[in-house]
């Protein structure tokens, strides 16, 4: 990134990136498929869980559609949203350490912030309500806002259109899954940073196209506002 190509929009994921997830999402998934009779210890459960883990970052309804027919996918998605809400009620919800300060610093530098998610709109709203983050961001987008969810670039390109980006190279993306990385690279964003606080590990993020690997979102402001020594750029194989 040069001085002529500043970052003007930062697109950040929610669960695992800015929001500490633990096993809440996976627990909600397990409870959702249990409503369809798929329970722990069965081969069907193992296949469904493996598919879910592999597809993390993608649209939740899209993941259920990849596993089940449409009626059962819709039922599982509704059960997932109910279960996630109930788990938040019981366990609470916290930002990833440093996420609050990172969002404040990015916006304070004049970079607009969009929070992206594979959750449906109601779950996304529940997260933002719980963390009181509505005034921390300029835009929020979910799969219901676009024709295609991640790994396609539609969420990021929609953010670019709504926030008036002049050049996709002025976008920085931050996420914890391979789908986040694929979406960022396909959008043309100049920085696609993988964080190690969520679903996928260093090698998986790198293979999916991360331009940088950082420990957590706390390091993201340094990366997009300047280029620090502790951010590891990934060489372009081309």
């Amino acid at each position: 990134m040069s001085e002529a190509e500043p970052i003007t929009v930062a697109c950040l994921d929610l669960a695992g990136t800015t929001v500490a997830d633990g096993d809440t999402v996976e627990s909600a998934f397990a409870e959702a498929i249990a409503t369809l009779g798929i329970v722990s210890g069965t081969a069907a459960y193992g296949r469904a869980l493996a598919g879910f883990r592999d597809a993390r970052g993608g649209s939740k309804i899209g993941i259920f559609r990849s596993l089940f027919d449409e009626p059962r996918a819709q039922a599982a998605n509704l059960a997932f949203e109910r279960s996630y809400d109930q788990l938040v009620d019981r366990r609470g919800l916290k930002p990833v350490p440093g996420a609050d300060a990172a969002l404040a610093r990015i916006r304070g530098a004049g970079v607009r912030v969009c929070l992206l998610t594979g959750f449906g709109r109601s779950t996304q709203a529940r997260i933002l309500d719980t963390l009181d983050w509505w005034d921390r961001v300029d835009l929020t987008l979910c799969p219901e806002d676009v024709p295609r969810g991640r790994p396609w670039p539609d969420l990021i390109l929609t953010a670019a259109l709504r926030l008036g980006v002049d050049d996709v190279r002025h976008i920085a993306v931050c996420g914890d899954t391979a789908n986040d990385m694929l979406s960022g690279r396909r959008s043309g964003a100049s920085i696609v940073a993988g964080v190690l606080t969520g679903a996928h590990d260093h090698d998986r993020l790198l293979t999916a196209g991360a331009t940088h690997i950082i420990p957590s979102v706390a390091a993201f402001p340094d990366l997009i506002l300047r280029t620090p020594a502790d951010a590891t750029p990934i060489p372009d194989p081309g």
Side-chain angles (χ1 to χ4, degrees):
M1 185 177 63
S2 70
E3 290 297 323
E5 296 176 0
I7 294 300
T8 61
V9 167
C11 294
L12 300 95
D13 177 56
L14 283 175
T17 303
T18 54
V19 180
D21 173 46
D23 66 348
T24 302
V25 174
E26 194 164 298
S27 294
F29 174 80
E31 291 181 7
I33 62 174
T35 66
L36 302 180
I38 302 172
V39 295
S40 180
T42 64
Y45 177 87
R47 289 193 299 270
L49 186 59
F52 176 74
R53 288 173 174 169
D54 186 63
R56 284 292 299 268
S59 159
K60 297 302 178 287
I61 182 60
I63 293 173
F64 287 122
R65 283 173 173 152
S66 73
L67 297 171
F68 309 116
D69 59 30
E70 185 64 19
R72 294 206 303 163
Q74 291 288 347
N77 191 57
L78 287 172
F80 173 86
E81 292 181 343
R82 286 195 302 269
S83 178
Y84 188 87
D85 280 352
Q86 291 166 1
L87 288 166
V88 170
D89 287 340
R90 297 199 301 268
R91 300 177 178 182
L93 204 60
K94 294 181 179 180
V96 167
D100 276 316
L103 293 176
R105 185 176 167 204
I106 292 167
R107 292 189 83 212
V111 176
R112 287 160 293 175
V113 171
C114 177
L115 290 181
L116 309 177
T117 187
F119 290 129
R121 181 170 287 113
S122 63
T123 303
Q124 183 185 49
R126 175 62 192 275
I127 293 170
L128 296 174
D129 284 341
T130 301
L131 297 178
D132 194 23
W133 270 6
W134 289 106
D135 63 350
R136 301 295 183 91
V137 301
D138 300 282
L139 181 66
T140 63
L141 293 173
C142 69
E144 294 162 58
D145 296 310
V146 293
R148 302 172 300 178
R150 295 179 297 210
W152 309 112
D154 301 30
L155 284 166
I156 297 166
L157 296 178
T158 297
L161 288 170
R162 294 195 186 180
L163 296 174
V165 172
D166 295 327
D167 188 322
V168 291
R169 291 174 296 178
H170 298 172
I171 302 171
V173 174
C174 186
D176 68 295
T177 70
N179 278 328
D180 296 325
M181 303 300 98
L182 287 166
S183 178
R185 292 304 292 262
R186 289 169 174 175
S187 75
S190 62
I191 291 177
V192 182
V195 296
L196 302 177
T197 53
H200 292 155
D201 63 17
H202 179 284
D203 290 347
R204 182 75 188 278
L205 296 169
L206 184 58
T207 300
T211 62
H212 298 75
I213 303 294
I214 54 179
S216 79
V217 70
F220 192 54
D222 279 347
L223 178 61
I224 69 173
L225 301 178
R226 56 186 176 84
T227 305
D230 61 351
T232 306
I234 307 304
D236 186 344

